[in-house]
């Protein structure tokens, strides 16, 4: 029987950088009442607060929730409040090299000059993230920018050559996430195992980027039973099915 359900955030529980809608929040609350839940995303902690926590009731069910921002490079658990258990931060020198390499990869990929909304490169402490149209781009524009991941796959090819000592993953609608080597969603899955005492074979991972190179793929490689979804609406149906199975045991 599965004891932990792990979700990606953007494109899985909510649209990119958007809050959980009312139906999703209610389904997550119902799921938290019957099983442990974790969310692993490339987003930083403020995104988790805005997208997830602001839409969930602050009650005892939060003790069943683990939050892992920046692809699992940070881990927050709820006691009487949210506590940071670890953070795998870059050194200043590492940040400088990654940002320099990202700018080189952008130039080498010959990305078209388009309007951007906010900064394209964001320092998240334990992760450096490139957003093709900027951090504050409208969702509809983001959906059109790289729907088949072709632009970002080209960037990843350059980055894998420029900074092979780091991990490069594609996620969200326009993002490229860079973390320390070996620190990705597989790392987060193993941290969940070690922290919560739940075997990887007792987990289900749900995400929209489970293809090779996608930032959800390492969770599948770690051995978690993985369910590919198209969007949050499909995730809702998956959650309903999981709840039905758990309540009938």
């Amino acid at each position: 029987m599965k004891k932990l359900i792990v979700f990606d955030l953007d494109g899985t529980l909510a649209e990119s950088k958007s809050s959980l809608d009312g139906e999703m929040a209610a389904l997550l609350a119902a799921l938290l009442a019957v099983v442990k839940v974790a969310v692993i995303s490339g987003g930083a902690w403020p995104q988790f607060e805005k997208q997830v926590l602001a839409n969930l009731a602050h009650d005892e069910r939060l003790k069943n929730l683990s939050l892992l921002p920046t692809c699992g490079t940070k881990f927050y658990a709820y006691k009487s409040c949210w506590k940071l258990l670890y953070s795998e931060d870059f050194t200043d020198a590492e940040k400088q090299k990654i940002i320099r390499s990202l700018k080189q990869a952008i130039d080498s990929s010959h990305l078209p000059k388009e309007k951007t909304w906010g900064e394209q490169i964001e320092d998240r402490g334990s992760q450096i993230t490139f957003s093709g149209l900027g951090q504050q781009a409208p969702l509809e524009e983001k959906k059109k920018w790289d729907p088949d991941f072709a632009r970002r796959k080209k960037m990843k090819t350059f980055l894998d050559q420029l900074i092979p000592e780091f991990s490069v993953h594609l996620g969200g609608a326009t993002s490229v996430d860079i973390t320390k080597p070996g620190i990705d969603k597989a790392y987060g899955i193993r941290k969940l195992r070690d922290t919560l005492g739940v075997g990887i074979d007792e987990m289900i991972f749900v995400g929209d980027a489970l293809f090779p190179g996608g930032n959800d793929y390492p969770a599948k490689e770690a051995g978690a039973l993985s369910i590919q979804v198209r969007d949050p609406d499909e995730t809702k149906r998956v959650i309903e099915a999981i709840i039905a199975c758990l309540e009938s045991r």
Side-chain angles (χ1 to χ4, degrees):
M1 183 58 65
K2 302 304 180 184
K3 296 182 179 178
L4 174 65
I5 315 302
V6 188
F7 296 94
D8 169 51
L9 179 51
D10 283 350
T12 300
L13 289 177
E15 297 287 2
S16 180
K17 297 244 177 118
S18 299
S19 298
L20 304 180
D21 65 25
E23 183 184 9
M24 183 66 80
L27 284 168
L28 272 184
L31 189 63
L32 284 165
V34 295
V35 71
K36 293 183 182 297
V37 174
V39 182
I40 305 179
S41 168
W45 176 246
Q47 288 298 127
F48 278 71
E49 292 181 300
K50 173 187 172 184
Q51 292 181 253
V52 180
L53 295 179
N55 304 282
L56 294 177
H58 285 220
D59 57 30
E60 288 298 301
R61 287 173 292 186
L62 290 182
K63 291 181 179 179
N64 270 346
L65 180 61
S66 299
L67 299 176
L68 288 79
T70 51
C71 293
T73 57
K74 299 177 187 286
F75 191 126
Y76 286 83
Y78 188 83
K79 308 300 180 183
S80 56
C81 61
W82 288 100
K83 301 287 188 181
L84 177 63
L85 302 188
Y86 71 79
S87 182
E88 303 286 355
D89 290 340
F90 290 121
T91 65
D92 288 341
E94 287 172 330
K95 290 179 182 180
Q96 290 170 11
K97 182 174 184 179
I98 291 167
I99 291 170
R100 185 169 61 248
S101 299
L102 254 177
K103 291 178 179 178
Q104 187 176 340
I106 293 168
D107 291 339
S108 298
S109 299
H110 303 294
L111 296 180
K113 300 297 182 183
E114 298 177 273
K115 179 179 179 180
T116 57
W117 291 261
E119 294 296 323
Q120 283 186 300
I121 298 175
E122 181 182 12
D123 176 2
R124 296 178 178 176
S126 57
Q127 177 179 295
I128 305 295
T129 295
F130 165 80
S131 297
L133 294 177
Q135 296 295 326
Q136 307 303 322
L139 179 58
E140 288 308 311
E141 294 297 326
K142 292 168 74 171
K143 285 181 175 180
K144 294 184 291 186
W145 188 74
D146 190 28
D148 59 359
F149 290 80
R151 290 178 173 179
R152 284 172 291 163
K153 285 179 180 177
K154 190 173 183 180
M155 283 188 65
K156 175 175 166 57
T157 298
F158 284 112
L159 288 167
D160 285 341
Q161 296 170 351
L162 292 169
I163 46 172
E165 67 271 36
F166 298 105
S167 294
V168 181
H169 297 285
L170 315 182
T174 66
S175 300
V176 177
D177 300 321
I178 301 168
T179 63
K180 286 188 176 182
I183 298 181
D184 51 26
K185 289 185 180 176
Y187 179 87
I189 290 290
R190 290 190 288 269
K191 280 292 191 178
L192 284 165
R193 175 197 63 195
D194 297 342
T195 303
L196 302 180
V198 176
I200 293 176
D201 61 345
E202 297 174 306
M203 302 180 190
I204 296 174
F205 180 86
V206 183
D208 70 319
L210 281 162
F211 52 85
N215 70 353
D216 294 331
Y217 189 68
K220 182 177 181 178
E221 287 189 304
L225 174 64
S226 299
I227 300 174
Q228 171 81 35
V229 293
R230 292 187 303 272
D231 53 30
D233 284 337
E234 189 166 17
T235 302
K236 293 172 184 176
R237 308 292 79 83
V238 170
I239 295 174
E240 288 172 341
I242 292 171
I243 291 172
C245 289
L246 290 171
E247 288 182 337
S248 66
R249 61 183 173 173

